[in-house]
Amino acid sequence: MTCTQTPVEEMQKRILHAYDHPDEQACFYSGNVERTGSTRLDHLPYWDWSCQPARSVPSNTTCLFPLALNCPQIHTTEGKLWVNPIFEDEDEEDFILELPDIRSGFGDTILQEMATMARDLPAGETIREVDIQSSLGIAELVCGQNLYIALLEEPEAIKKMLTRITDFVIDFVHEMRRVCGPRLNGAGFPFIWSDQHSTLVSDDTLTLVSPQQHLEFSLPYVNQFADACGPIHYHSCSWYERFFDNIKQVRNVRTYNWNTGNSDDPHHIIREFSGRAVLAPHICKDMHLSNDVARWGHSFSDEVDLLSYVLDGMLDNTSFHFWLGEFDEKPDVLERMYDILHERGYSPQAQLG
């Protein structure tokens, strides 16, 4: 580390280098918490690679874009903001989606909140990008369950809608970047550090359709978005082998993120995707107990054991950036996870001195 760079600047430099060179072996991790619950970790200058605190936008929600597209607001029984579909049990001509101005309605509410944060946040703090869903995921909420019938019966009408949704989301991301500038952390998920020149796209409809339908109705629009706004942090909760060929066709990827406890064996994913982009799975509390993990044919005593297993699959061209989630509730486990990472030379202390 040169004397002209702060530790934060050096961490940012190393992470950005990994994003640009994902075929070089590296490993980073973030807990995304300022207080871990562990006195020992909290007394370290930097226990993880969270270079800057990233603050959430107050009104951020998974249904951000359906709301911005004027879907009626409702609330769940738990009081959570949600939407009613615009199109349900309708004919083809009724799938014509009118696009509002991005600086109107709920979209403008989000952008105004981000503008206020960009103005008022203390120096060194950033804004965590909002939830950017794939066009097919947005269409699912706009159309309701009727979408899956329409994919079969009205495919061309749905494709026109998906194109319009994609255009809207692209315009929104460009405006969001204008509003936030360098205060934006483009990794909306997982909760790691990135600069403002990247963006999340959450492709969670991946496992709700067949690989063939995903190839036809999601991938082209993910790639249109990636070309216009990338590099992207590509997320889908569940990664299974039958979708690997499709995922490999996603363009302009900075990180791949998946739920370790709800996917195929990470050793298989590591072999297939190392070198293409930084692998950024998340490991959260109790994930070692999931049904998918049990199907790998291994038994893990705890989350530390699971993390060690994932690390053991690392190849010469593997670059990792983990999000370790919810372990402020299990600080003893987090300390042991840190010890594993530090002993392998991946902590800031091991790399920066």
mmCIF file with all atom_site columns, all heavy atoms in Angstrom, residues 171-188:
data_model
loop_
_atom_site.group_PDB
_atom_site.id
_atom_site.type_symbol
_atom_site.label_atom_id
_atom_site.label_alt_id
_atom_site.label_comp_id
_atom_site.label_asym_id
_atom_site.label_entity_id
_atom_site.label_seq_id
_atom_site.pdbx_PDB_ins_code
_atom_site.Cartn_x
_atom_site.Cartn_y
_atom_site.Cartn_z
_atom_site.occupancy
_atom_site.B_iso_or_equiv
_atom_site.pdbx_formal_charge
_atom_site.auth_seq_id
_atom_site.auth_comp_id
_atom_site.auth_asym_id
_atom_site.auth_atom_id
_atom_site.pdbx_PDB_model_num
ATOM 1   N N   . ASP A 1 171 ? -34.099 3.955  -18.382 1.00 0.00 ? 171 ASP A N   1
ATOM 2   C CA  . ASP A 1 171 ? -34.221 5.399  -18.157 1.00 0.00 ? 171 ASP A CA  1
ATOM 3   C C   . ASP A 1 171 ? -34.141 5.724  -16.662 1.00 0.00 ? 171 ASP A C   1
ATOM 4   O O   . ASP A 1 171 ? -33.519 6.718  -16.265 1.00 0.00 ? 171 ASP A O   1
ATOM 5   C CB  . ASP A 1 171 ? -35.536 5.916  -18.731 1.00 0.00 ? 171 ASP A CB  1
ATOM 6   C CG  . ASP A 1 171 ? -35.540 5.961  -20.255 1.00 0.00 ? 171 ASP A CG  1
ATOM 7   O OD1 . ASP A 1 171 ? -34.454 5.848  -20.856 1.00 0.00 ? 171 ASP A OD1 1
ATOM 8   O OD2 . ASP A 1 171 ? -36.636 6.094  -20.840 1.00 0.00 ? 171 ASP A OD2 1
ATOM 9   N N   . PHE A 1 172 ? -34.780 4.877  -15.845 1.00 0.00 ? 172 PHE A N   1
ATOM 10  C CA  . PHE A 1 172 ? -34.751 5.110  -14.399 1.00 0.00 ? 172 PHE A CA  1
ATOM 11  C C   . PHE A 1 172 ? -33.320 5.012  -13.864 1.00 0.00 ? 172 PHE A C   1
ATOM 12  O O   . PHE A 1 172 ? -32.886 5.866  -13.068 1.00 0.00 ? 172 PHE A O   1
ATOM 13  C CB  . PHE A 1 172 ? -35.646 4.103  -13.683 1.00 0.00 ? 172 PHE A CB  1
ATOM 14  C CG  . PHE A 1 172 ? -35.669 4.279  -12.186 1.00 0.00 ? 172 PHE A CG  1
ATOM 15  C CD1 . PHE A 1 172 ? -36.632 5.084  -11.582 1.00 0.00 ? 172 PHE A CD1 1
ATOM 16  C CD2 . PHE A 1 172 ? -34.728 3.652  -11.375 1.00 0.00 ? 172 PHE A CD2 1
ATOM 17  C CE1 . PHE A 1 172 ? -36.644 5.265  -10.206 1.00 0.00 ? 172 PHE A CE1 1
ATOM 18  C CE2 . PHE A 1 172 ? -34.727 3.829  -10.002 1.00 0.00 ? 172 PHE A CE2 1
ATOM 19  C CZ  . PHE A 1 172 ? -35.691 4.633  -9.421  1.00 0.00 ? 172 PHE A CZ  1
ATOM 20  N N   . VAL A 1 173 ? -32.572 4.001  -14.273 1.00 0.00 ? 173 VAL A N   1
ATOM 21  C CA  . VAL A 1 173 ? -31.205 3.825  -13.778 1.00 0.00 ? 173 VAL A CA  1
ATOM 22  C C   . VAL A 1 173 ? -30.326 4.998  -14.197 1.00 0.00 ? 173 VAL A C   1
ATOM 23  O O   . VAL A 1 173 ? -29.523 5.507  -13.408 1.00 0.00 ? 173 VAL A O   1
ATOM 24  C CB  . VAL A 1 173 ? -30.618 2.481  -14.252 1.00 0.00 ? 173 VAL A CB  1
ATOM 25  C CG1 . VAL A 1 173 ? -29.114 2.408  -13.973 1.00 0.00 ? 173 VAL A CG1 1
ATOM 26  C CG2 . VAL A 1 173 ? -31.333 1.323  -13.556 1.00 0.00 ? 173 VAL A CG2 1
ATOM 27  N N   . HIS A 1 174 ? -30.481 5.459  -15.419 1.00 0.00 ? 174 HIS A N   1
ATOM 28  C CA  . HIS A 1 174 ? -29.694 6.613  -15.857 1.00 0.00 ? 174 HIS A CA  1
ATOM 29  C C   . HIS A 1 174 ? -30.027 7.856  -15.016 1.00 0.00 ? 174 HIS A C   1
ATOM 30  O O   . HIS A 1 174 ? -29.131 8.620  -14.633 1.00 0.00 ? 174 HIS A O   1
ATOM 31  C CB  . HIS A 1 174 ? -29.954 6.892  -17.335 1.00 0.00 ? 174 HIS A CB  1
ATOM 32  C CG  . HIS A 1 174 ? -29.317 5.889  -18.247 1.00 0.00 ? 174 HIS A CG  1
ATOM 33  N ND1 . HIS A 1 174 ? -29.732 5.684  -19.547 1.00 0.00 ? 174 HIS A ND1 1
ATOM 34  C CD2 . HIS A 1 174 ? -28.290 5.018  -18.051 1.00 0.00 ? 174 HIS A CD2 1
ATOM 35  C CE1 . HIS A 1 174 ? -28.989 4.752  -20.111 1.00 0.00 ? 174 HIS A CE1 1
ATOM 36  N NE2 . HIS A 1 174 ? -28.108 4.331  -19.221 1.00 0.00 ? 174 HIS A NE2 1
ATOM 37  N N   . GLU A 1 175 ? -31.305 8.050  -14.711 1.00 0.00 ? 175 GLU A N   1
ATOM 38  C CA  . GLU A 1 175 ? -31.695 9.192  -13.891 1.00 0.00 ? 175 GLU A CA  1
ATOM 39  C C   . GLU A 1 175 ? -31.205 9.024  -12.460 1.00 0.00 ? 175 GLU A C   1
ATOM 40  O O   . GLU A 1 175 ? -30.759 9.994  -11.818 1.00 0.00 ? 175 GLU A O   1
ATOM 41  C CB  . GLU A 1 175 ? -33.210 9.365  -13.918 1.00 0.00 ? 175 GLU A CB  1
ATOM 42  C CG  . GLU A 1 175 ? -33.745 10.541 -13.113 1.00 0.00 ? 175 GLU A CG  1
ATOM 43  C CD  . GLU A 1 175 ? -33.353 11.901 -13.655 1.00 0.00 ? 175 GLU A CD  1
ATOM 44  O OE1 . GLU A 1 175 ? -32.706 11.979 -14.732 1.00 0.00 ? 175 GLU A OE1 1
ATOM 45  O OE2 . GLU A 1 175 ? -33.679 12.916 -13.007 1.00 0.00 ? 175 GLU A OE2 1
ATOM 46  N N   . MET A 1 176 ? -31.261 7.812  -11.935 1.00 0.00 ? 176 MET A N   1
ATOM 47  C CA  . MET A 1 176 ? -30.768 7.532  -10.588 1.00 0.00 ? 176 MET A CA  1
ATOM 48  C C   . MET A 1 176 ? -29.275 7.868  -10.492 1.00 0.00 ? 176 MET A C   1
ATOM 49  O O   . MET A 1 176 ? -28.829 8.479  -9.501  1.00 0.00 ? 176 MET A O   1
ATOM 50  C CB  . MET A 1 176 ? -31.004 6.059  -10.250 1.00 0.00 ? 176 MET A CB  1
ATOM 51  C CG  . MET A 1 176 ? -30.423 5.606  -8.920  1.00 0.00 ? 176 MET A CG  1
ATOM 52  S SD  . MET A 1 176 ? -30.747 3.848  -8.605  1.00 0.00 ? 176 MET A SD  1
ATOM 53  C CE  . MET A 1 176 ? -29.854 3.075  -9.964  1.00 0.00 ? 176 MET A CE  1
ATOM 54  N N   . ARG A 1 177 ? -28.514 7.490  -11.496 1.00 0.00 ? 177 ARG A N   1
ATOM 55  C CA  . ARG A 1 177 ? -27.084 7.800  -11.489 1.00 0.00 ? 177 ARG A CA  1
ATOM 56  C C   . ARG A 1 177 ? -26.833 9.303  -11.576 1.00 0.00 ? 177 ARG A C   1
ATOM 57  O O   . ARG A 1 177 ? -25.905 9.829  -10.951 1.00 0.00 ? 177 ARG A O   1
ATOM 58  C CB  . ARG A 1 177 ? -26.400 7.076  -12.643 1.00 0.00 ? 177 ARG A CB  1
ATOM 59  C CG  . ARG A 1 177 ? -26.277 5.575  -12.422 1.00 0.00 ? 177 ARG A CG  1
ATOM 60  C CD  . ARG A 1 177 ? -25.697 4.885  -13.626 1.00 0.00 ? 177 ARG A CD  1
ATOM 61  N NE  . ARG A 1 177 ? -25.436 3.479  -13.348 1.00 0.00 ? 177 ARG A NE  1
ATOM 62  C CZ  . ARG A 1 177 ? -25.136 2.578  -14.271 1.00 0.00 ? 177 ARG A CZ  1
ATOM 63  N NH1 . ARG A 1 177 ? -25.075 2.936  -15.551 1.00 0.00 ? 177 ARG A NH1 1
ATOM 64  N NH2 . ARG A 1 177 ? -24.910 1.329  -13.931 1.00 0.00 ? 177 ARG A NH2 1
ATOM 65  N N   . ARG A 1 178 ? -27.659 9.986  -12.344 1.00 0.00 ? 178 ARG A N   1
ATOM 66  C CA  . ARG A 1 178 ? -27.503 11.438 -12.436 1.00 0.00 ? 178 ARG A CA  1
ATOM 67  C C   . ARG A 1 178 ? -27.772 12.077 -11.081 1.00 0.00 ? 178 ARG A C   1
ATOM 68  O O   . ARG A 1 178 ? -27.041 12.982 -10.649 1.00 0.00 ? 178 ARG A O   1
ATOM 69  C CB  . ARG A 1 178 ? -28.462 11.991 -13.485 1.00 0.00 ? 178 ARG A CB  1
ATOM 70  C CG  . ARG A 1 178 ? -28.270 13.483 -13.757 1.00 0.00 ? 178 ARG A CG  1
ATOM 71  C CD  . ARG A 1 178 ? -29.409 14.069 -14.571 1.00 0.00 ? 178 ARG A CD  1
ATOM 72  N NE  . ARG A 1 178 ? -30.653 14.129 -13.791 1.00 0.00 ? 178 ARG A NE  1
ATOM 73  C CZ  . ARG A 1 178 ? -30.919 15.056 -12.884 1.00 0.00 ? 178 ARG A CZ  1
ATOM 74  N NH1 . ARG A 1 178 ? -30.032 16.014 -12.613 1.00 0.00 ? 178 ARG A NH1 1
ATOM 75  N NH2 . ARG A 1 178 ? -32.075 15.053 -12.243 1.00 0.00 ? 178 ARG A NH2 1
ATOM 76  N N   . VAL A 1 179 ? -28.804 11.587 -10.396 1.00 0.00 ? 179 VAL A N   1
ATOM 77  C CA  . VAL A 1 179 ? -29.198 12.153 -9.110  1.00 0.00 ? 179 VAL A CA  1
ATOM 78  C C   . VAL A 1 179 ? -28.155 11.876 -8.032  1.00 0.00 ? 179 VAL A C   1
ATOM 79  O O   . VAL A 1 179 ? -27.833 12.747 -7.221  1.00 0.00 ? 179 VAL A O   1
ATOM 80  C CB  . VAL A 1 179 ? -30.579 11.584 -8.696  1.00 0.00 ? 179 VAL A CB  1
ATOM 81  C CG1 . VAL A 1 179 ? -30.859 11.815 -7.219  1.00 0.00 ? 179 VAL A CG1 1
ATOM 82  C CG2 . VAL A 1 179 ? -31.683 12.194 -9.551  1.00 0.00 ? 179 VAL A CG2 1
ATOM 83  N N   . CYS A 1 180 ? -27.618 10.674 -8.015  1.00 0.00 ? 180 CYS A N   1
ATOM 84  C CA  . CYS A 1 180 ? -26.728 10.258 -6.918  1.00 0.00 ? 180 CYS A CA  1
ATOM 85  C C   . CYS A 1 180 ? -25.263 10.522 -7.192  1.00 0.00 ? 180 CYS A C   1
ATOM 86  O O   . CYS A 1 180 ? -24.482 10.720 -6.254  1.00 0.00 ? 180 CYS A O   1
ATOM 87  C CB  . CYS A 1 180 ? -26.912 8.762  -6.634  1.00 0.00 ? 180 CYS A CB  1
ATOM 88  S SG  . CYS A 1 180 ? -28.559 8.312  -6.066  1.00 0.00 ? 180 CYS A SG  1
ATOM 89  N N   . GLY A 1 181 ? -24.851 10.468 -8.447  1.00 0.00 ? 181 GLY A N   1
ATOM 90  C CA  . GLY A 1 181 ? -23.449 10.647 -8.769  1.00 0.00 ? 181 GLY A CA  1
ATOM 91  C C   . GLY A 1 181 ? -22.572 9.616  -8.080  1.00 0.00 ? 181 GLY A C   1
ATOM 92  O O   . GLY A 1 181 ? -22.965 8.456  -7.901  1.00 0.00 ? 181 GLY A O   1
ATOM 93  N N   . PRO A 1 182 ? -21.377 9.998  -7.639  1.00 0.00 ? 182 PRO A N   1
ATOM 94  C CA  . PRO A 1 182 ? -20.445 9.045  -7.040  1.00 0.00 ? 182 PRO A CA  1
ATOM 95  C C   . PRO A 1 182 ? -20.873 8.543  -5.665  1.00 0.00 ? 182 PRO A C   1
ATOM 96  O O   . PRO A 1 182 ? -20.207 7.677  -5.102  1.00 0.00 ? 182 PRO A O   1
ATOM 97  C CB  . PRO A 1 182 ? -19.139 9.844  -6.948  1.00 0.00 ? 182 PRO A CB  1
ATOM 98  C CG  . PRO A 1 182 ? -19.563 11.272 -6.934  1.00 0.00 ? 182 PRO A CG  1
ATOM 99  C CD  . PRO A 1 182 ? -20.787 11.347 -7.773  1.00 0.00 ? 182 PRO A CD  1
ATOM 100 N N   . ARG A 1 183 ? -21.985 9.040  -5.130  1.00 0.00 ? 183 ARG A N   1
ATOM 101 C CA  . ARG A 1 183 ? -22.440 8.559  -3.823  1.00 0.00 ? 183 ARG A CA  1
ATOM 102 C C   . ARG A 1 183 ? -23.238 7.269  -3.952  1.00 0.00 ? 183 ARG A C   1
ATOM 103 O O   . ARG A 1 183 ? -23.647 6.691  -2.941  1.00 0.00 ? 183 ARG A O   1
ATOM 104 C CB  . ARG A 1 183 ? -23.290 9.620  -3.136  1.00 0.00 ? 183 ARG A CB  1
ATOM 105 C CG  . ARG A 1 183 ? -22.589 10.959 -3.008  1.00 0.00 ? 183 ARG A CG  1
ATOM 106 C CD  . ARG A 1 183 ? -22.962 11.695 -1.764  1.00 0.00 ? 183 ARG A CD  1
ATOM 107 N NE  . ARG A 1 183 ? -22.390 11.091 -0.577  1.00 0.00 ? 183 ARG A NE  1
ATOM 108 C CZ  . ARG A 1 183 ? -22.434 11.665 0.626   1.00 0.00 ? 183 ARG A CZ  1
ATOM 109 N NH1 . ARG A 1 183 ? -23.014 12.833 0.782   1.00 0.00 ? 183 ARG A NH1 1
ATOM 110 N NH2 . ARG A 1 183 ? -21.895 11.082 1.675   1.00 0.00 ? 183 ARG A NH2 1
ATOM 111 N N   . LEU A 1 184 ? -23.434 6.783  -5.167  1.00 0.00 ? 184 LEU A N   1
ATOM 112 C CA  . LEU A 1 184 ? -24.210 5.569  -5.384  1.00 0.00 ? 184 LEU A CA  1
ATOM 113 C C   . LEU A 1 184 ? -23.336 4.332  -5.265  1.00 0.00 ? 184 LEU A C   1
ATOM 114 O O   . LEU A 1 184 ? -22.257 4.264  -5.852  1.00 0.00 ? 184 LEU A O   1
ATOM 115 C CB  . LEU A 1 184 ? -24.853 5.607  -6.772  1.00 0.00 ? 184 LEU A CB  1
ATOM 116 C CG  . LEU A 1 184 ? -25.750 4.429  -7.144  1.00 0.00 ? 184 LEU A CG  1
ATOM 117 C CD1 . LEU A 1 184 ? -27.017 4.419  -6.305  1.00 0.00 ? 184 LEU A CD1 1
ATOM 118 C CD2 . LEU A 1 184 ? -26.102 4.476  -8.640  1.00 0.00 ? 184 LEU A CD2 1
ATOM 119 N N   . ASN A 1 185 ? -23.781 3.353  -4.490  1.00 0.00 ? 185 ASN A N   1
ATOM 120 C CA  . ASN A 1 185 ? -23.192 2.016  -4.498  1.00 0.00 ? 185 ASN A CA  1
ATOM 121 C C   . ASN A 1 185 ? -24.089 1.157  -5.386  1.00 0.00 ? 185 ASN A C   1
ATOM 122 O O   . ASN A 1 185 ? -25.229 0.859  -5.037  1.00 0.00 ? 185 ASN A O   1
ATOM 123 C CB  . ASN A 1 185 ? -23.131 1.445  -3.074  1.00 0.00 ? 185 ASN A CB  1
ATOM 124 C CG  . ASN A 1 185 ? -22.574 0.024  -3.018  1.00 0.00 ? 185 ASN A CG  1
ATOM 125 O OD1 . ASN A 1 185 ? -22.540 -0.697 -4.014  1.00 0.00 ? 185 ASN A OD1 1
ATOM 126 N ND2 . ASN A 1 185 ? -22.151 -0.389 -1.834  1.00 0.00 ? 185 ASN A ND2 1
ATOM 127 N N   . GLY A 1 186 ? -23.580 0.779  -6.553  1.00 0.00 ? 186 GLY A N   1
ATOM 128 C CA  . GLY A 1 186 ? -24.387 0.081  -7.540  1.00 0.00 ? 186 GLY A CA  1
ATOM 129 C C   . GLY A 1 186 ? -24.713 -1.353 -7.210  1.00 0.00 ? 186 GLY A C   1
ATOM 130 O O   . GLY A 1 186 ? -25.488 -1.988 -7.939  1.00 0.00 ? 186 GLY A O   1
ATOM 131 N N   . ALA A 1 187 ? -24.158 -1.901 -6.136  1.00 0.00 ? 187 ALA A N   1
ATOM 132 C CA  . ALA A 1 187 ? -24.479 -3.273 -5.730  1.00 0.00 ? 187 ALA A CA  1
ATOM 133 C C   . ALA A 1 187 ? -25.729 -3.238 -4.859  1.00 0.00 ? 187 ALA A C   1
ATOM 134 O O   . ALA A 1 187 ? -25.643 -3.234 -3.629  1.00 0.00 ? 187 ALA A O   1
ATOM 135 C CB  . ALA A 1 187 ? -23.306 -3.914 -4.990  1.00 0.00 ? 187 ALA A CB  1
ATOM 136 N N   . GLY A 1 188 ? -26.892 -3.182 -5.516  1.00 0.00 ? 188 GLY A N   1
ATOM 137 C CA  . GLY A 1 188 ? -28.121 -3.243 -4.749  1.00 0.00 ? 188 GLY A CA  1
ATOM 138 C C   . GLY A 1 188 ? -28.242 -4.544 -3.982  1.00 0.00 ? 188 GLY A C   1
ATOM 139 O O   . GLY A 1 188 ? -28.829 -4.591 -2.895  1.00 0.00 ? 188 GLY A O   1
#
